[in-house]
Amino acid sequence: MLKPQVVHKSQYTRKPFLAWHNYPPFVSGKCGRGTQVSFPFLWKPISENTTGRKNNIGVRRQRSAVKAVTAYDDVKVTNVKATVTVQITVASNLSNLSLSRGLDDVGDLLGKTLLLELVAAEVDPKTGLEKATIKGYAHRKGSKDEDVDYECEFQIPDDFGEIGAVLVENEHHTEMYLKKIVLDGFISGPVAAVCNSWVHSKYDNPQKRLFFTNKSYLPGNTPSGLVNYRKKELQILRGDGLGERKKSDRIYDYDVYNDLGDPDSDEDLARPVLGGKQLPYPRRCRTGRPRSKQDPLTESRSGDIYVPRDEAFSEVKSLTFSGKTLYSVVHALIPSLENIATDKDLGFPYFTAIEQLFNEGLPLPPHQTGGILGDIIPRLVKFVSDVEKNVLLFETPQLFDRDRFSWIRDVEFSRQTLAGLNPCSIKLVTEWPLKSKLDPEEYGPPDSALTTQVIEQEILGFTTVEEAIKQKKLFILDYHDLLMPYVKKVRELKGKTLYGSRTLFFLTPDNTLKTLAIELTRPPMDGKPQWKQVFKPSWVATDAWLWKLAKTHVLAHDSGYHQLVSHWLRTHCATEPYIIAANRQLSAMHPIYRLLHPHFRYTMEINALARGFLINANGIIETSFAPGKYSIELSSVAYDLEWRFDLQALPADLIHRGMAVEDPNSPHGLKLTIEDYPFANDGLILWDIIKEWVSDYVNHYYPDSKAIQSDEEIQEWWKEVRQVGHGDKKDEPWWPELKTPKDLIGILTIIIWITSGHHAAVNFGQYDFAGYFPNRPTIARNTMPNEDPSEERWQLFLNKPEIELLSCYPSQIQAATVMAILDVLSNHSPDEEYLGKEAEGAWAENPIINAAFERFNGKLKEFEGIIDARNADRNLKNRSGAGIVPYELLKPFSEPGVTAKGVPNSISI
């Protein structure tokens, strides 16, 4: 039996600097197989640089401390140095003058910053019990750039085995951001644990943090010593579903969207709960805030909306970029605009006044000089020294900069349905005549006014309607049935109007679309029968102006659908349940968690910001987009009618819309209905690249179906996504099964495509395509002048049709507000994480996965060259030509800023 040697005391322990017996020890190390020997924090163990046998304890005096080495007879130990990399945070610098900061500095000085506990991967083979952890305090060693390294030396008995995890206790009074832990000294090489996580102070929460090393394990392969740790960590992340969440919490739970309204402030700000039978919707993260006093179904609102701590923006993104910029637009810029506006409903008096936003700007109140606006939004707010005032001066959007008049042309209107902001709404016409599915008793006759006769007048010389449908040359943007139930409601709101709309296009021999006609419909209301009218391109002056106005309404409809469905619902909103379920059901050491995690970063934070400022009652969307206060309710209706998980796959979506058919002899196994369809052409290459990477990854960990079916974590994750996160659709038959590696590859490819490619396609071109808002107005404020017109209005239209168009556009306040928001949302952060650019730590350490990632990265670089070549091809008229903005929205990499290219890993803005 091994016996610990005697530790000799030193005279220097008689008068300690502090009453150390009231504090935890500086070093607490497990030596050999048993006894723990603790030393006061003023003592330091002698460093050893070799691995060998120790037979005694040496004590030597050195200055004011005693160095001691504890060892056991015939026990071989390995000397290991742990280096913990901590990111210097702005928050910690701001607390330099506080008492807690002073105590933390003393702790650093005395080497008492982080308590580390090394966890053995395997249980003791003799007892079958977990081995006791090996403990030690890490002390501050030095700093480099924005990081500080803390070090701790351990003596690890060889029978301790492999390190599986590290427990961390933060001895500071403030949280710390740990980037990684590296254990160096093993013969087999360093052992690392990538953290990238906030670690709370033990004074706020005594619970220690657990970080698994970079080795990934399926549940059935979990090392025996980590099984309980794996289960316990998931239990912590699930929480108990009770109480209000604190900022430092790391708890993932579900709730309905019941926090968009604010009835306690104003009864007009009450909003229905989204989620449930009446208004189905995906679930959001539970915050646990108290209920509203006026409406027990509504959660009260507060300035900060809880997200689990590690879901928050990085400090670069939060303090100098996205989060604070968005906040400053809402809380500083918009009030400033309202202060200078004599009339909030005032439109632009002439088109050159719109252009002045880019060359002269809007003056802001003098008190903003040098304040938050100039600091946070330097791209927009310019300081003009000669007049000593701030000016809101917008950058010229790329579309307007290349061609000032492109927005007027019908060919550009058509082109953008394939290569613009919302390229996923156009679909093939397969049934004729067009007919509404709405109740005719409530909404009027269902037959469309877009008749064969009307359309053949436009395609005369090309073909007939029957042949056009047969040859797959007739396409439609159809917002009729979705919008009609809201026409009467929206028209009751001040300064807003709405129609149901259909827009038809014809595919010409050069693969471009010709806009044929627009139908606008108003249901029976206010004692008047249904009104519907067809508008067509015309050389006749009056009809030409009516056509421009009809396009304005359709663009407002398309802008609303884009923002509420193609963007918010399909990416931000639908993804949050995947994130919550992954953190509740997949261990951090699960390979699929590690695959998905980069694609989930920051999404919950930007979603919380959206609930606070953008989609909330009287927020940016409601005040500036066509459906008004019914905007998010409308997205719930779209979720109910249209959203299917299986159709989020790009190939399935294209087939469903009639934009492609399966063809094993064509690239990607699909033949596109429109050969020059930039979103689909580029998207399918990116889809295949993602799918190949996912296939390599999944097939490495799951050699057969049995491995999938026996993985309880992945099964529970997929079950919770369907039954809870998207629980309002849990009984739908289209949910993919999860029984084989192929099933898992399909599910993961969809999620990664939506969070990366699809989101990039509908987000990062917002400013360049809609910054000059006549190209994509977000709202139409007036009805068509020929809808039950008064003599006075009709005459005004005939005399000044330009005034009619300008008054239909957003007001000056609405336009400037949306332009500022779109600029923020289109920006790439300086610390943007692009798809396939940098390998995660766990991937890089696995040779097979690392090789697959290198192939992934290489194909993305090749893809960039393909996009450049396509944009230079003069035969592809939907992406090249005089004044045309090249289609680069799916180009993988980008520099920071508004670039209209770059595919980030995740929905981070």
Side-chain angles (χ1 to χ4, degrees):
M1 182 175 179
L2 298 175
K3 297 181 180 180
Q5 306 298 314
V6 177
V7 178
H8 298 278
K9 294 185 179 179
S10 164
Q11 60 178 331
Y12 297 99
T13 62
R14 296 177 184 172
K15 297 180 180 179
F17 177 66
L18 293 174
W20 61 264
H21 56 277
N22 291 327
Y23 290 79
F26 168 50
V27 175
S28 177
K30 291 286 185 183
C31 305
R33 290 192 178 89
T35 307
Q36 173 174 295
V37 181
S38 299
F39 300 95
F41 60 77
L42 294 180
W43 296 352
K44 297 182 181 178
I46 295 175
S47 299
E48 296 291 341
N49 298 317
T50 60
T51 299
R53 297 181 187 275
K54 300 231 170 258
N55 298 309
N56 55 30
I57 295 179
V59 178
R60 71 170 180 243
R61 298 176 185 174
Q62 187 178 33
R63 296 184 183 176
S64 60
V66 171
K67 287 200 171 183
V69 176
T70 304
Y72 294 83
D73 292 334
D74 301 320
V75 175
K76 190 176 181 181
V77 299
T78 299
N79 295 286
V80 172
K81 181 174 72 176
T83 302
V84 183
T85 302
V86 175
Q87 181 175 295
I88 300 174
T89 63
V90 175
S92 62
N93 287 335
L94 292 177
S95 63
N96 277 340
L97 299 179
S98 68
L99 176 61
S100 62
R101 178 66 262 173
L103 293 174
D104 291 344
D105 286 343
V106 172
D108 283 349
L109 181 64
L110 299 174
K112 190 173 181 301
T113 304
L114 294 167
L115 174 61
L116 307 181
E117 296 186 42
L118 307 185
V119 179
E122 302 289 350
V123 298
D124 189 315
K126 294 182 178 180
T127 65
L129 302 176
E130 293 172 359
K131 298 174 184 176
T133 59
I134 301 178
K135 302 180 181 180
Y137 280 104
H139 59 279
R140 182 168 179 151
K141 188 68 176 178
S143 60
K144 183 180 179 181
D145 298 327
E146 298 178 350
D147 297 334
V148 176
D149 284 341
Y150 292 84
E151 293 184 358
C152 178
E153 293 187 357
F154 294 96
Q155 291 184 329
I156 303 177
D158 281 7
D159 62 358
F160 190 76
E162 185 179 348
I163 306 297
V166 182
L167 286 164
V168 179
E169 183 175 77
N170 176 11
E171 304 294 314
H172 276 188
H173 290 72
T174 56
E175 64 180 1
M176 303 175 74
Y177 189 81
L178 267 61
K179 296 177 73 173
K180 61 183 177 180
I181 302 171
V182 177
L183 304 171
D184 200 3
F186 296 105
I187 295 175
S188 57
V191 174
V194 173
C195 306
N196 290 328
S197 177
W198 292 97
V199 177
H200 55 260
S201 166
K202 73 172 186 179
Y203 301 101
D204 294 329
N205 182 352
Q207 201 169 64
K208 296 172 184 175
R209 285 297 311 279
L210 176 70
F211 296 103
F212 294 110
T213 59
N214 287 349
K215 272 193 178 180
S216 298
Y217 297 97
L218 296 179
N221 298 330
T222 308
S224 57
L226 302 178
V227 171
N228 289 332
Y229 284 99
R230 183 171 188 151
K231 292 178 179 178
K232 184 177 180 181
E233 179 70 2
L234 286 174
Q235 290 172 356
I236 291 171
L237 292 170
R238 291 171 193 150
D240 58 8
L242 302 174
E244 184 172 359
R245 298 288 176 241
K246 305 186 299 293
K247 178 183 177 181
S248 60
D249 284 345
R250 297 170 54 249
I251 296 174
Y252 297 78
D253 204 356
Y254 300 94
D255 207 343
V256 293
Y257 278 75
N258 62 350
D259 64 339
L260 303 180
D262 190 9
D264 287 348
S265 297
D266 188 330
E267 61 181 12
D268 289 337
L269 297 181
R271 295 293 181 270
V273 174
L274 303 185
K277 287 186 178 180
Q278 193 168 10
L279 290 170
Y281 218 51
R283 298 303 188 258
R284 64 167 177 91
C285 181
R286 179 185 178 277
T287 64
R289 290 179 292 185
R291 296 305 174 101
S292 160
K293 296 177 182 178
Q294 298 298 321
D295 179 9
L297 296 179
T298 298
E299 188 175 272
S300 62
R301 294 180 62 80
S302 60
D304 294 324
I305 300 176
Y306 165 79
V307 295
R309 187 65 186 102
D310 286 339
E311 303 298 333
F313 284 159
S314 68
E315 286 204 330
V316 171
K317 189 177 283 288
S318 180
L319 293 175
T320 65
F321 195 69
S322 308
K324 292 297 182 183
T325 304
L326 180 59
Y327 184 91
S328 64
V329 167
V330 174
H331 291 279
L333 178 59
I334 295 174
S336 295
L337 292 172
E338 292 174 344
N339 287 338
I340 64 173
T342 55
D343 181 358
K344 293 181 181 179
D345 298 322
L346 185 66
F348 289 87
Y350 35 79
F351 276 92
T352 52
I354 301 174
E355 296 180 26
Q356 287 176 2
L357 294 172
F358 310 113
N359 49 49
E360 294 182 18
L362 291 173
L364 295 175
H367 73 270
Q368 296 292 351
T369 300
I372 185 174
L373 288 178
D375 295 336
I376 300 297
I377 328 178
R379 175 181 156 84
L380 299 181
V381 180
K382 313 294 181 183
F383 179 67
V384 184
S385 58
D386 57 343
V387 295
E388 295 187 350
K389 65 180 181 181
N390 276 333
V391 171
L392 180 63
L393 184 63
F394 290 93
E395 298 286 338
T396 304
Q398 188 178 178
L399 178 128
F400 188 71
D401 189 47
R402 284 175 174 263
D403 185 349
R404 292 177 58 195
F405 306 106
S406 64
W407 66 276
I408 299 174
R409 291 192 290 272
D410 293 343
V411 66
E412 181 65 14
F413 173 78
S414 301
R415 188 189 77 85
Q416 288 184 30
T417 64
L418 302 173
L421 268 188
N422 188 32
C424 36
S425 283
I426 189 169
K427 57 187 178 182
L428 182 71
V429 175
T430 56
E431 296 180 359
W432 193 267
L434 301 173
K435 207 166 192 177
S436 171
K437 296 179 181 179
L438 298 173
D439 182 1
E441 293 292 325
E442 186 171 357
Y443 298 103
D447 295 330
S448 171
L450 293 166
T451 62
T452 299
Q453 181 181 2
V454 167
I455 300 307
E456 288 187 346
Q457 289 175 357
E458 298 302 309
I459 59 174
L460 192 64
F462 284 103
T463 185
T464 64
V465 169
E466 183 180 359
E467 281 299 309
I469 293 174
K470 186 176 180 181
Q471 295 173 15
K472 298 183 178 181
K473 292 185 179 297
L474 206 58
F475 298 85
I476 190 170
L477 278 182
D478 191 351
Y479 298 129
H480 183 277
D481 284 11
L482 181 65
L483 296 181
M484 279 285 278
Y486 287 92
V487 171
K488 185 176 186 299
K489 295 177 181 180
V490 170
R491 289 191 175 200
E492 292 171 351
L493 305 175
K494 181 183 177 182
K496 294 179 175 64
T497 194
L498 196 64
Y499 291 99
S501 70
R502 298 184 179 102
T503 307
L504 279 179
F505 305 89
F506 177 74
L507 181 63
T508 66
D510 64 1
N511 255 302
T512 60
L513 290 174
K514 171 183 170 63
T515 312
L516 299 178
I518 290 171
E519 177 188 34
L520 299 179
T521 307
R522 178 204 70 199
M525 56 182 289
D526 302 329
K528 299 175 183 178
Q530 182 194 70
W531 180 89
K532 65 177 65 167
Q533 182 80 39
V534 171
F535 302 90
K536 300 183 293 183
S538 176
W539 295 105
V540 178
T542 300
D543 291 343
W545 276 102
L546 288 173
W547 172 246
K548 289 183 180 68
L549 285 161
K551 282 202 300 182
T552 297
H553 283 275
V554 169
L555 285 167
H557 301 165
D558 192 60
S559 293
Y561 186 90
H562 158 258
Q563 205 65 267
L564 296 168
V565 181
S566 301
H567 185 195
W568 164 255
L569 175 64
R570 290 184 65 177
T571 66
H572 291 260
C573 186
T575 296
E576 188 152 337
Y578 313 147
I579 302 172
I580 299 172
N583 282 278
R584 287 168 56 84
Q585 299 298 341
L586 297 179
S587 167
M589 70 164 71
H590 198 293
I592 301 306
Y593 179 88
R594 285 175 163 160
L595 174 66
L596 287 174
H597 185 250
H599 304 288
F600 291 162
R601 286 191 186 116
Y602 310 133
T603 301
M604 293 178 73
E605 172 82 344
I606 191 61
N607 286 2
L609 285 170
R611 301 205 313 273
F613 308 136
L614 299 180
I615 65 172
N616 60 303
N618 209 35
I620 303 298
I621 297 295
E622 287 196 359
T623 57
S624 302
F625 282 76
K629 67 183 288 185
Y630 303 102
S631 292
I632 300 302
E633 182 180 327
L634 183 69
S635 76
S636 167
V637 173
Y639 177 71
D640 186 28
L641 296 174
E642 301 176 8
W643 190 89
R644 292 175 44 164
F645 180 85
D646 58 333
L647 295 183
Q648 303 312 296
L650 178 60
D653 171 56
L654 293 171
I655 292 170
H656 178 71
R657 290 189 284 120
M659 303 304 290
V661 293
E662 292 187 69
D663 181 0
N665 298 318
S666 296
H668 322 293
L670 294 180
K671 180 177 177 56
L672 292 176
T673 311
I674 301 176
E675 292 180 9
D676 184 12
Y677 183 2
F679 165 70
N681 290 122
D682 293 357
L684 285 170
I685 293 180
L686 184 57
W687 170 271
D688 282 355
I689 292 172
I690 293 171
K691 187 173 183 180
E692 183 176 340
W693 154 241
V694 173
S695 299
D696 288 343
Y697 192 99
V698 169
N699 289 330
H700 173 68
Y701 288 102
Y702 296 97
D704 51 38
S705 297
K706 183 179 179 182
I708 291 283
Q709 294 167 25
S710 63
D711 183 344
E712 65 268 20
E713 286 186 6
I714 202 72
Q715 293 295 335
E716 286 300 313
W717 168 70
W718 186 232
K719 178 181 177 182
E720 189 167 291
V721 165
R722 291 175 291 137
Q723 297 191 359
V724 184
H726 285 276
D728 295 334
K729 288 180 174 280
K730 63 182 178 181
D731 297 323
E732 297 288 352
W734 39 254
W735 283 107
E737 293 183 326
L738 182 50
K739 294 182 177 179
T740 68
K742 183 180 178 181
D743 295 339
L744 182 58
I745 290 167
I747 290 166
L748 297 176
T749 303
I750 287 175
I751 292 174
I752 293 173
W753 157 254
I754 287 294
T755 57
S756 58
H758 180 89
H759 180 259
V762 299
N763 183 74
F764 290 103
Q766 290 191 82
Y767 188 77
D768 275 338
F769 279 103
Y772 182 72
F773 68 83
N775 184 63
R776 284 188 69 79
T778 58
I779 194 169
R781 296 192 293 158
N782 294 336
T783 57
M784 292 292 293
N786 62 336
E787 182 197 335
D788 305 326
S790 65
E791 183 64 31
E792 180 182 4
R793 185 183 176 196
W794 183 251
Q795 194 60 46
L796 179 63
F797 164 67
L798 294 178
N799 293 338
K800 290 283 187 180
E802 180 182 345
I803 298 299
E804 182 71 36
L805 181 58
L806 286 166
S807 64
C808 191
Y809 283 153
S811 70
Q812 294 186 38
I813 293 294
Q814 288 172 326
T817 299
V818 171
M819 289 166 69
I821 290 292
L822 295 185
D823 183 272
V824 173
L825 299 182
S826 303
N827 244 304
H828 286 297
S829 169
D831 66 345
E832 194 79 88
E833 299 171 14
Y834 293 101
L835 182 69
K837 189 171 185 180
E838 298 288 343
E840 296 291 297
W843 306 345
E845 289 190 16
N846 184 314
I848 295 175
I849 297 301
N850 189 55
F853 180 82
E854 290 299 323
R855 291 193 295 274
F856 181 44
N857 173 267
K859 292 194 173 185
L860 289 171
K861 290 176 179 176
E862 290 176 11
F863 179 41
E864 289 209 317
I866 292 171
I867 290 177
D868 289 338
R870 286 176 170 177
N871 287 332
D873 188 342
R874 295 184 180 181
N875 294 317
L876 300 178
K877 295 181 174 59
N878 289 321
R879 64 191 307 154
S880 65
I884 287 180
V885 176
Y887 192 75
E888 296 184 315
L889 289 172
L890 291 174
K891 201 169 185 179
F893 310 119
S894 173
E895 61 274 10
V898 177
T899 63
K901 62 182 177 182
V903 180
N905 273 324
S906 63
I907 305 163
S908 59
I909 188 63

